[in-house]
Amino acid sequence: MRAFKIGLYLSAVLLLQTVILPRFNFLGVVPDLVLVTVVFYAVLLERTPATLLSALAGFLQDILACPFYLNTIIKTITGAAANTFRERFMGDEYTLIAGLVALFTPLSVLAEGLTLHFIFHREFSLWYFIFRLVAETVYNLILVPLLYPLVRVTLDE
Amino acid sequence: MTSYRPFKRKNSYSLAITVVLLALAVSYFSWLNLAGLRSLLTTVITPFQLATTVVWRGVTGAPGFVFSLGSQASENAALKSENNALAAKAATLVELAKENERLRQALDFRGGPRYGGRLVAARVIARSGSPWLSSIEIDKGAGSGVKPDCPVVVREGLVGRVVEVAPSSARVLLLTDAQSSVAGADQRSRDFGIVEGYSPDTLFLRYVSSGADVGVGDQIVTAAISSLFPPGIPIGTVSAATKAEADLFYEIKIKPAVNFSRLEEVFLVQ
């Protein structure tokens, strides 16, 4: 039942991310619902299921909306790294999740930007890059309290 | 809220490292289709994306629907679709007329219908989340005769080209993507160059020699030298054209004719 609920939630997140959220873009920036979800599960699950879910979420995001497997890599690393923080953190999980979202959102934007620039030779303005770092982090932080109860429900047996 | 205390456990990153290496290998060696797995998954997911799109349109269109009869709404949708197809053809009439005039003057008429007469409508069912990856997913694929490099247009102008085809869906690389390049020409002076994507609302026309005649406000259309796109499809309007004295080429900025953030329905030129 728990696996089914997580699967259902993940499917809804992926459809929202690729179909509906792009319609709410602000100067091209949309929240990364998948990244926030990956951080949630990295904090709330053990390492193996958390890593597997992160990899699966990133892979499906790539299948749906990216011509290569950049999200698979970013989300897998985020899941594993966030899980490591969780093992060393003392305090309530909500603070940890918000902190990790604030940390990993700019890092993932940075990783995406650097990969696209240096490997795929894409150009973009530095100001837009900085704007996206800030805007996407704010967007994702807004999502944390909205998603928290939903993710908690998916983890109930 | 649950509190955690630090605890020791054997850290194993082998799973994460394996996944990352696999993803890198698959991307690097261009096994992007993963022996059909990507196409298969896309085929499975497409109906859900389509359903979500339809539901979303229903939700956002609900207030207007309340004030109209059901039959009127469906008739309106059909007429709107037909109107879009006709408008896409009509958008090139100016270019056709100019070309016709030129060709008549040259007494060497070889022209033909701009889109070869066949436009296939497709719905946008997904978009890349990142502003740096400008692509969309449409609900027509190999089953509808879509092939890679197929031009995609709307009534305002050129949208992009198909880069990946699954049985029931296809991925379209938008004109605004940095990987996109299209041969474009100034509709007035006929000087041509390569239109490259830059950002969601900016394109650049490159390699136009400094001796060319390109000015702000000029319309840029697909050039006849393009092997992929029919000539004369509107691309955008020149918003800035500068050149330093020593430069060999113009620096030409274009405002796209199409609003890429509002694409709902597109047409494939087949």
Side-chain angles (χ1 to χ4, degrees):
Chain A
M1 190 61 189
R2 192 187 194 195
F4 174 76
K5 281 196 283 187
I6 291 175
L8 198 66
Y9 171 78
L10 207 56
S11 307
V13 161
L14 286 161
L15 286 174
L16 273 173
Q17 182 73 52
T18 56
V19 179
I20 295 173
L21 284 182
R23 291 163 205 267
F24 293 103
N25 77 81
F26 177 62
L27 294 176
V29 179
V30 292
D32 193 343
L33 205 55
V34 181
L35 184 94
V36 179
T37 298
V38 162
V39 170
F40 266 114
Y41 283 124
V43 170
L44 300 172
L45 295 173
E46 291 302 319
R47 170 156 301 164
T48 303
T51 307
L52 277 175
L53 265 175
S54 307
L56 181 69
F59 177 68
L60 288 173
Q61 193 180 4
D62 283 331
I63 292 285
L64 288 170
C66 184
F68 38 87
Y69 298 95
L70 188 59
N71 284 305
T72 310
I73 296 169
I74 290 176
K75 264 62 177 191
T76 305
I77 293 173
T78 301
N83 189 268
T84 304
F85 274 91
R86 167 249 173 138
E87 289 168 5
R88 286 160 174 73
F89 183 78
M90 284 178 71
D92 71 273
E93 65 188 23
Y94 191 83
T95 309
L96 177 60
I97 289 166
L100 289 175
V101 167
L103 173 69
F104 282 107
T105 303
L107 283 179
S108 93
V109 174
L110 193 67
E112 186 187 335
L114 293 177
T115 307
L116 291 174
H117 183 68
F118 288 109
I119 298 177
F120 295 96
H121 310 294
R122 299 195 182 195
E123 290 178 22
F124 25 76
S125 88
L126 179 66
W127 290 115
Y128 187 72
F129 184 79
I130 294 167
F131 165 75
R132 198 189 150 195
L133 276 179
V134 176
E136 198 166 312
T137 305
V138 172
Y139 256 150
N140 284 356
L141 282 171
I142 292 169
L143 286 175
V144 172
L146 300 175
L147 292 183
Y148 185 77
L150 272 175
V151 177
R152 267 272 158 229
V153 167
T154 67
L155 292 176
D156 292 340
E157 288 293 351
Chain B
M1 304 238 177
T2 312
S3 289
Y4 289 107
R5 289 176 190 286
F7 60 95
K8 294 267 182 192
R9 72 188 284 271
K10 190 183 172 188
N11 278 334
S12 170
Y13 294 98
S14 53
L15 180 62
I17 292 167
T18 308
V19 171
V20 169
L21 289 177
L22 267 174
L24 279 173
V26 166
S27 296
Y28 184 78
F29 293 110
S30 301
W31 304 329
L32 294 174
N33 202 26
L34 288 172
L37 177 65
R38 195 177 166 99
S39 290
L40 180 72
L41 283 172
T42 307
T43 308
V44 171
I45 291 164
T46 297
F48 294 102
Q49 288 181 307
L50 193 56
T52 310
T53 306
V54 170
V55 169
W56 179 251
R57 281 188 189 178
V59 170
T60 52
F65 188 76
V66 170
F67 298 103
S68 66
L69 294 172
S71 60
Q72 282 178 330
S74 59
E75 189 184 347
N76 185 37
L79 286 170
K80 203 172 170 185
S81 177
E82 191 182 352
N83 181 46
N84 282 342
L86 289 170
K89 284 184 178 175
T92 62
L93 280 179
V94 175
E95 178 65 16
L96 265 176
K98 280 177 183 281
E99 185 188 50
N100 195 21
E101 193 181 332
R102 283 196 313 278
L103 291 169
R104 273 177 192 280
Q105 284 173 356
L107 294 175
D108 185 24
F109 178 76
R110 293 178 185 207
R114 184 67 55 211
Y115 293 131
R118 184 156 153 73
L119 288 174
V120 175
R123 263 192 285 208
V124 177
I125 54 172
R127 296 152 201 260
S128 60
S130 166
W132 295 326
L133 297 167
S134 305
S135 67
I136 54 172
E137 194 95 6
I138 55 172
D139 69 341
K140 292 283 192 303
S144 305
V146 178
K147 290 175 182 159
D149 291 332
C150 186
V152 180
V153 298
V154 289
R155 69 175 175 175
E156 291 86 2
L158 185 66
V159 170
R161 66 185 168 90
V162 172
V163 288
E164 202 178 306
V165 182
S168 56
S169 66
R171 192 186 307 281
V172 177
L173 184 74
L174 300 180
L175 208 54
T176 50
D177 191 281
Q179 296 292 95
S180 161
S181 60
V182 178
D186 186 307
Q187 197 174 43
R188 178 181 56 82
S189 67
R190 312 313 297 177
D191 288 313
F192 65 87
I194 302 296
V195 177
E196 292 180 348
Y198 183 73
S199 72
D201 58 358
T202 308
L203 307 169
F204 277 100
L205 180 63
R206 301 194 194 277
Y207 314 117
V208 176
S209 73
S210 55
D213 175 20
V214 179
V216 173
D218 283 2
Q219 298 294 315
I220 304 298
V221 296
T222 48
I225 57 164
S226 172
S227 56
L228 292 179
F229 302 98
I233 305 174
I235 291 175
T237 309
V238 175
S239 58
T242 53
K243 61 175 175 181
E245 204 168 303
D247 283 353
L248 288 175
F249 300 112
Y250 261 109
E251 172 85 358
I252 300 169
K253 212 185 239 190
I254 303 172
K255 182 175 170 43
V258 175
N259 184 342
F260 292 92
S261 63
R262 289 186 185 166
L263 287 175
E264 300 282 348
E265 201 170 45
V266 295
F267 296 92
L268 295 137
V269 183
Q270 292 188 328

